[in-house]
Amino acid sequence: HVQLVESGGGSVQAGGSLTLSCVISGFNDGIYSMAWFRQAPGKEREAVASIYTPTTTIRYADSVKGRFTISYTNTLDLQMNSLIPEDTAMYYCAGDRVVSRWAEESQYRHWGQGTQVTVS
């Protein structure tokens, strides 16, 4: 079965950087739409960035544009720069074969367990 495992979270001071990675394994029919979501305490989970690998179509939430970069080679990565306290959240990677609405979590069947990012 499909497994997604995140790593790279941690604590960082405002202005700092972190890179999250997600290893995706166990898929037979292809995972082409991948995304990062985050959920802060007391808030709903929100989309951060997505990538559709056949066309390398990339999308970002307005709140992270210019600061975060999503990429996929052998792992799904999220480079996060100029971090601010509002970026503090549990970050999840998600994937599915193809999604039509990248920012809707219901579009993705496969999820990781999350990795915590804390910015102070």
Side-chain angles (χ1 to χ4, degrees):
H1 65 283
V2 180
Q3 283 190 311
L4 290 78
V5 180
E6 304 96 336
S7 63
S11 296
V12 65
Q13 290 189 336
S17 299
L18 281 174
T19 299
L20 307 183
S21 291
C22 176
V23 176
I24 303 174
S25 62
F27 52 90
N28 294 321
D29 61 350
I31 300 290
Y32 304 118
S33 290
M34 292 168 275
W36 287 95
F37 284 75
R38 67 185 181 186
Q39 186 168 22
K43 294 188 177 182
E44 293 185 354
R45 190 152 52 183
E46 63 175 359
V48 174
S50 75
I51 184 168
Y52 178 63
T53 55
T55 58
T56 321
T57 300
I58 290 174
R59 294 183 174 88
Y60 295 100
D62 288 344
S63 59
V64 306
K65 279 180 183 176
R67 300 189 299 120
F68 290 12
T69 302
I70 190 172
S71 63
Y72 179 78
T73 306
N74 294 315
T75 60
L76 178 67
D77 295 332
L78 186 69
Q79 172 69 43
M80 306 185 295
N81 297 324
S82 303
L83 285 161
I84 59 177
E86 290 77 12
D87 294 320
T88 295
M90 184 72 77
Y91 283 72
Y92 300 89
C93 61
D96 211 313
R97 181 170 176 80
V98 179
V99 303
S100 55
R101 295 179 293 278
W102 75 274
E104 292 186 11
E105 60 177 296
S106 63
Q107 294 278 300
Y108 301 88
R109 289 177 293 167
H110 310 294
W111 290 83
Q113 293 300 306
T115 186
Q116 178 67 39
V117 172
T118 303
V119 184
S120 59

